[in-house]
Amino acid sequence: MDQLPVALERAGNEDSWAVADAISRVLQNSEELHSWRRHLLSACMRGLVVMYSSSKDEHKQEVERSMLMRLEELLCVVEEVDPDDWCSLVKTGLKYRYRDEAFLKVLNVAIQLLYKKESSL
C-alpha cells in the first residue's frame, strides 16, 4: 500500500487508480483515510506534472481530464497540499497547458480552496 502512490505518479493509468479508489473505500471510516488522501493528492499532482512535461502537446487529453477531475475531488476533501508539489504543478501546468480550459478551471478551484483565509499556504 505504501508503494502505490509512487506507482500512480509514474503510471497515470486507470487500473492503478482503481486500486487506489478501492483502498480509499476500505479506509472510509478509518483514521488513516485523511493521510491516504493526502498521499493520493500528491501522487495526482506529480503525475500531472510528469504528463505535462513529457507530452507538451495535448494528445493525452482524456487521461489528463480524468486526472484533473481526480485532483479537484481530492482538493475538495483534503484542502491542503505540499507546497513543492503545488508549485511544480502550477509552473508546469501554466507552461504547457495555459490554454487548456480544463486545467485552468481546476487551477481556479484549487486557488479558491487553498488560498482562503485559514489556509496553510
Side-chain angles (χ1 to χ4, degrees), residues 20 22-23 32 46 56-57 67-69 78 91-93 112:
I23 292 171
E32 297 176 8
R46 291 176 184 175
K56 293 162 182 61
D57 58 350
M67 291 288 285
L68 285 168
M69 287 177 20
V78 177
K91 283 173 56 177
T92 308
Q112 298 301 317

Side-chain angles (χ1 to χ4, degrees), residues 4 11 14 24-26 31-33 38 44 48-49 51 53 59 66 68 72 76 86-87 92 100 102 113:
L4 185 59
E14 286 303 310
S24 294
R25 284 190 296 278
V26 168
E31 294 176 9
E32 297 176 8
L33 182 60
R38 283 187 25 225
C44 187
L48 282 166
V49 167
M51 272 191 251
S53 298
H59 72 277
S66 171
L68 285 168
E72 186 174 354
C76 288
W86 173 245
C87 183
T92 308
D100 181 9
L113 286 169

Side-chain angles (χ1 to χ4, degrees), residues 28-67:
Q28 191 63 43
N29 295 318
S30 167
E31 294 176 9
E32 297 176 8
L33 182 60
H34 186 73
S35 175
W36 172 247
R37 286 181 173 159
R38 283 187 25 225
H39 288 301
L40 291 181
L41 178 60
S42 183
C44 187
M45 288 192 291
R46 291 176 184 175
L48 282 166
V49 167
V50 168
M51 272 191 251
Y52 292 161
S53 298
S54 65
S55 62
K56 293 162 182 61
D57 58 350
E58 301 175 31
H59 72 277
K60 293 185 177 181
Q61 286 185 346
E62 187 175 315
V63 175
E64 287 181 14
R65 301 265 186 274
S66 171
M67 291 288 285

Side-chain angles (χ1 to χ4, degrees), residues 2-3 21 29 35 45 62 70 93-94 104 112-113 119:
D2 294 334
Q3 302 301 319
D21 290 340
N29 295 318
S35 175
M45 288 192 291
E62 187 175 315
R70 185 173 299 279
L94 288 174
L104 293 174
Q112 298 301 317
L113 286 169
S119 175

